[in-house]
Amino acid sequence: MACLLAPAAQAQAQVQVHVGNLEQHIAAVREDGRFVPTRALQRLQEVETQARSAPLPVRAEFLTQLSTVRMRLGQNDLAMQLAEELIAYARQNKNDVALAKGILSKAYITFALNERRASHLLAFEAEKIANRTDDLPVRVQATISAGQSWAEEGNFPFALAKLQAAVDLARQSNSPSSLAAALNALTLLYTQMREYDKGFEVLDELLAVSSTLESPGRMAQAKNTEYGLALDARQPQRGQRALLAALALERQLGASGMVAVTLVNLSDSYLKEGDYARALRYAYEAITAGRLVNNEQVEATARLNIGQALIGQGRLQEGKQSVATGLAYYERTANQPDMQAVLLEYGMALEKAGDMRGAVTAYHRERGISNLLFEKQRQKAVYELQEKYEAEKKQRQIELLSRENQLKSTEIDNRRLQQRVWWLLALVLAMASVIVGLLYRKVRHANVQLNVKNQELKRQSSRDPLTALYNRRHFQEFMRSHAGKPLPAYGDADVVGALFLLDVDHFKHINDRYGHAAGDLVLTTIAETLHDVLRETDMIVRWGGEEFLAFLPAVSRDGLDDIARRILNGMAAQVIHYQGQAIQVHVSVGFAPYPLAPLGRPLTWERSVNLIDMALYLAKAHGRNRAYGLRGFRQVERTTLEAVEQDLERAWRDGYVDLSVVLGGTDGMDSTNTGTTAHGRPAGASDGVAAAAIT
């Protein structure tokens, strides 16, 4: 028997079908919104009238997707208006799911506007609201955003806990797309944390889940994540393969924005390999693609890659101009962390090209940003501690008042009887406190002055008055205070301490020809240059006269020659102008890892310094403007350490010590000789292993 619906019921059924179709349409647009926003915008505008009059869940999802699309098209003002509309609509209807979506949209737009801290606070707020709901996909998205925010603030433990929780929630939701998003974020975090093995484990699952989605965009995103992990894990070939696969998927999808980013990453990949021709090709393609989607960051990054590639090809001035164009974007957007990384790469490119002055300038700017970021983090930590202290103080006051209010009413009369006695005692104490206070202020003032004087005397006793470097006495006290303590545990056998001893070449000639004032200027310039080429954590000492000593607490064992080369070329790049005359300065260097441990027994620091002093003497004896490094000992049981100390060169020739020789540049900032290194024994050694001929 057929059943006929009343007109009202029939109309309601038609509306429900219409709403269901609309919901499916908006859900289908979601993928395009992430990867092809121009196409998504057109499809959303087709149903805008119906969506705005639809029930709350459908309308909320529509506003979320439309805001996301506007943001991805760079239309941040329109995107923010839509996010605010969604937030107001959600609050009016007291719907936490819609409210969480609106605040998340606002967080993403705020991040796109380079307001990172405000974006993080919005993400944290959205997570709290989302966790009040039963909507697992929204909770996953909010938890991912909170985890990424903690990572951007450098709080990796919080970030890891959040993203692992997001993965667990995504598994419960039975939503492969939510799981792919959570796994992608977790892989990126492990990359940042340099936990590469764990990163590859999560990546394998990410690629497997992405392959089940039949979404070229999701797979391309996963391949880009694979590129970042492979690059940091020093697997450049795997990274390039991932990028090329991502590029093919993105072009198939028509995802112009993703194509632009992948092209600039390919350019960077080939740049790191030294394939400058391909780096230039992909960088120019990235500029064209970036302009199509109005992505200034892509174009700026491509300009930086072009500049470094041109520098690598020897086209120094063209390269510098291109880098300056790219840097202008980062300066305008005040993106300090990215600016720091860019300057470090730029300095390395200039150093490799032999432009030591330009490299030092870039490193100096990078160090300034590093110090600024550190100071901001320190201030933030202080403010947070102050807020915590104030909150705890208020809590203690509340608890105290609560306890006082719980006293029995019978105690009130007793307090009144005692008040008269207390008033008398208070009067006596007040008079005494005034007297004591006056005396205390005088004593405190005297102590402050005494402390200032003591600090000044301590500073004067530990610093060289001319260069403001630490003096020999301070270094000796420092080393004596660490004598007998366990050796530093760096967690990596390739990380060691190091000692470098420098002596100015022909310093007496400089004093005799230009005068002692010129000699003093040379010494202060060397001190400043050492601060530029070494790190803040390195101890730099004026060892005496024209000698300087540097103690580096933790460096790569394989990087000692590079540090010596940086010192030599940094000094050679300095031209000191004194009374209209240009003074070119070179130094000779002796160096060694610290502690030195022949036969497994660490030498005292005094004997280590004595050995590098002998290495310095070899550098002087064999031409100056070079560095001799004592890398280690061989078959010391066949001789004695005393014999090695008496004649280091003979010990080298006989094969008992391993020395490296680093040659410095000869013509300052325009020198193309960035230094050469040789290891082993000198030519003519008994086993025929040639390293550097003795001249």
Side-chain angles (χ1 to χ4, degrees):
M1 178 177 177
C3 178
L4 299 177
L5 294 175
Q10 186 176 4
Q12 184 178 2
Q14 290 173 349
V15 169
Q16 289 174 347
V17 172
H18 173 71
V19 169
N21 290 338
L22 181 61
E23 192 171 7
Q24 291 176 5
H25 180 87
I26 295 171
V29 174
R30 186 181 294 115
E31 287 293 295
D32 274 353
R34 295 179 61 86
F35 308 116
V36 194
T38 50
R39 188 163 64 208
L41 178 61
Q42 181 180 356
R43 296 177 65 186
L44 286 171
Q45 287 176 330
E46 291 172 356
V47 297
E48 183 165 7
T49 303
Q50 302 96 301
R52 286 186 175 277
S53 59
L56 188 148
V58 178
R59 180 176 173 182
E61 181 62 19
F62 169 79
L63 291 173
T64 300
Q65 296 307 321
L66 188 58
S67 176
T68 300
V69 167
R70 292 290 189 187
M71 179 194 68
R72 293 187 184 280
L73 290 172
Q75 301 167 4
N76 291 321
D77 291 344
L78 292 174
M80 186 64 80
Q81 290 175 16
L82 290 161
E84 294 288 6
E85 179 185 343
L86 175 55
I87 291 170
Y89 178 58
R91 284 179 173 154
Q92 179 184 353
N93 289 273
K94 298 180 180 179
N95 187 291
D96 283 340
V97 172
L99 183 58
K101 289 181 177 181
I103 294 175
L104 281 173
S105 296
K106 188 173 180 179
Y108 303 148
I109 300 160
T110 307
F111 184 87
L113 293 170
N114 292 310
E115 299 174 16
R116 296 199 174 192
R117 182 55 184 164
S119 171
H120 297 164
L121 293 175
L122 288 166
F124 299 148
E125 181 185 358
E127 184 199 16
K128 290 179 182 178
I129 295 169
N131 285 338
R132 299 200 298 252
T133 75
D134 296 326
D135 192 313
L136 285 178
V138 171
R139 290 174 62 189
V140 171
Q141 184 184 359
T143 307
I144 291 172
S145 299
Q148 290 173 325
S149 297
W150 283 120
E152 286 159 7
E153 294 195 0
N155 193 330
F156 291 148
F158 270 41
L160 182 59
K162 292 294 182 185
L163 294 181
Q164 287 175 334
V167 171
D168 292 339
L169 282 171
R171 295 191 198 284
Q172 297 173 31
S173 71
N174 294 319
S175 168
S177 59
S178 292
L179 181 57
L183 292 170
N184 190 74
L186 185 57
T187 306
L188 291 171
L189 178 64
Y190 278 131
T191 303
Q192 286 180 278
M193 296 170 65
R194 300 181 182 178
E195 296 277 356
Y196 303 130
D197 290 341
K198 293 180 180 178
F200 281 117
E201 287 179 14
V202 179
L203 176 67
D204 289 341
E205 185 178 0
L206 168 62
L207 293 171
V209 172
S210 298
S211 66
T212 66
L213 292 172
E214 297 182 357
S215 167
R218 290 282 185 180
M219 181 57 78
Q221 187 179 54
K223 285 293 181 181
N224 275 292
T225 300
E226 180 183 2
Y227 156 71
L229 175 57
L231 187 68
D232 283 6
R234 298 184 179 180
Q235 298 182 24
Q237 296 302 321
R238 177 172 180 173
Q240 279 182 7
R241 289 195 300 270
L243 277 181
L244 291 169
L247 184 62
L249 289 166
E250 290 156 5
R251 283 176 167 162
Q252 170 192 338
L253 186 63
S256 303
M258 296 179 73
V259 167
V261 173
T262 301
L263 285 169
V264 83
N265 285 338
L266 273 168
S267 169
D268 182 65
S269 174
Y270 284 112
L271 180 64
K272 285 180 169 61
E273 275 195 350
D275 189 341
Y276 301 126
R278 289 189 182 180
L280 287 170
R281 169 193 156 193
Y282 282 113
Y284 284 122
E285 287 186 27
I287 289 175
T288 302
R291 287 176 178 172
L292 288 174
V293 293
N294 196 28
N295 191 326
E296 287 186 85
Q297 186 174 7
V298 164
E299 183 172 353
T301 307
R303 292 290 180 193
L304 293 171
N305 291 346
I306 289 170
Q308 291 186 49
L310 292 173
I311 290 171
Q313 290 181 337
R315 297 153 67 181
L316 194 61
Q317 292 306 315
E318 291 179 71
K320 284 185 172 182
Q321 290 173 2
S322 185
V323 170
T325 303
L327 279 174
Y329 167 81
Y330 289 93
E331 291 171 344
R332 188 173 72 253
T333 56
N335 189 335
Q336 299 288 357
D338 286 351
M339 184 80 167
Q340 182 184 5
V342 166
L343 286 169
L344 188 60
E345 287 189 359
Y346 182 37
M348 293 169 65
L350 290 174
E351 184 177 355
K352 187 176 181 181
D355 184 0
M356 299 309 300
R357 177 165 294 181
V360 167
T361 301
Y363 289 142
H364 187 73
R365 290 180 66 189
E366 185 271 336
R367 191 178 68 176
I369 294 174
S370 176
N371 292 340
L372 178 63
L373 292 174
F374 174 80
E375 180 63 20
K376 286 182 178 178
Q377 289 295 324
R378 188 188 66 81
Q379 290 177 353
K380 176 185 171 185
V382 170
Y383 292 149
E384 288 176 351
L385 286 173
Q386 287 176 341
E387 290 175 0
K388 182 179 179 182
Y389 170 76
E390 291 297 332
E392 291 176 350
K393 181 179 177 182
K394 289 178 181 178
Q395 184 62 34
R396 287 195 300 270
Q397 290 173 341
I398 291 171
E399 291 173 357
L400 180 61
L401 289 173
S402 176
R403 285 196 299 269
E404 290 176 351
N405 290 334
Q406 293 173 0
L407 292 174
K408 297 178 181 180
S409 59
T410 56
E411 295 178 356
I412 297 175
D413 292 338
N414 292 335
R415 286 202 301 272
R416 288 177 179 173
L417 291 174
Q418 294 171 355
Q419 279 179 355
R420 293 181 182 179
V421 176
W422 288 118
W423 277 115
L424 290 173
L425 289 173
L427 179 61
V428 174
L429 290 172
M431 294 176 65
S433 65
V434 170
I435 297 170
V436 172
L438 291 172
L439 293 173
Y440 174 74
R441 288 181 62 186
K442 289 184 178 181
V443 172
R444 186 176 64 175
H445 180 72
N447 285 338
V448 169
Q449 294 298 317
L450 181 61
N451 186 54
V452 170
K453 293 295 183 183
N454 286 337
Q455 292 295 328
E456 179 64 17
L457 287 172
K458 183 177 180 181
R459 190 191 69 80
Q460 291 176 358
S461 68
S462 65
R463 295 281 183 175
D464 171 59
L466 175 64
T467 62
L469 299 175
Y470 287 115
N471 58 26
R472 189 170 188 149
R473 179 194 304 169
H474 174 82
F475 179 79
Q476 290 169 335
E477 290 176 355
F478 173 82
M479 297 304 283
R480 276 196 295 268
S481 68
H482 287 71
K485 294 184 178 180
L487 297 178
Y490 298 115
D492 187 340
D494 291 329
V495 177
V496 295
L499 288 166
F500 285 76
L501 189 62
L502 294 71
D503 186 89
V504 185
D505 293 337
H506 303 297
F507 185 72
K508 185 177 183 301
H509 174 72
I510 293 172
N511 273 335
D512 292 344
R513 181 174 179 181
Y514 302 102
H516 288 281
D520 288 348
L521 181 58
V522 167
L523 295 176
T524 56
T525 301
I526 288 174
E528 292 170 0
T529 304
L530 286 173
H531 276 302
D532 286 336
V533 300
L534 298 178
R535 306 168 302 182
E536 289 287 332
T537 53
D538 300 333
M539 181 184 293
I540 307 172
V541 181
R542 185 177 179 192
W543 196 239
E546 64 271 25
E547 284 189 325
F548 298 82
L549 182 140
F551 173 56
L552 285 61
V555 291
S556 167
R557 184 185 295 275
D558 293 334
L560 296 185
D561 290 352
D562 291 333
I563 295 170
R565 184 178 298 110
R566 200 160 69 230
I567 291 171
L568 291 170
N569 292 339
M571 298 303 175
Q574 302 303 316
V575 178
I576 302 168
H577 297 281
Y578 178 75
Q579 294 185 350
Q581 300 186 73
I583 305 174
Q584 186 78 50
V585 178
H586 297 96
V587 297
S588 297
V589 182
F591 64 97
Y594 177 80
L596 287 166
L599 301 176
R601 294 191 295 271
L603 300 180
T604 64
W605 71 266
E606 292 93 343
R607 295 188 81 173
S608 296
V609 171
N610 182 54
L611 284 166
I612 66 169
D613 189 49
M614 295 187 67
L616 171 62
Y617 173 79
L618 285 180
K620 289 284 189 186
H622 294 298
R624 294 183 171 84
N625 187 26
R626 62 193 61 202
Y628 274 52
L630 176 56
R631 300 170 62 84
F633 299 87
R634 297 175 179 171
Q635 301 178 335
V636 186
E637 66 276 4
R638 294 173 52 189
T639 182
T640 64
L641 189 59
E642 289 73 16
V644 172
E645 289 176 314
Q646 288 173 6
D647 194 340
L648 184 63
E649 184 170 353
R650 177 176 293 278
W652 183 27
R653 290 184 180 279
D654 292 342
Y656 296 132
V657 296
D658 180 12
L659 294 184
S660 63
V661 184
V662 181
L663 305 180
T666 58
D667 53 356
M669 61 174 273
D670 296 323
S671 172
T672 56
N673 176 15
T674 59
T676 58
T677 306
H679 306 296
R681 302 190 215 172
S686 59
D687 64 356
V689 179
I694 297 295
T695 57

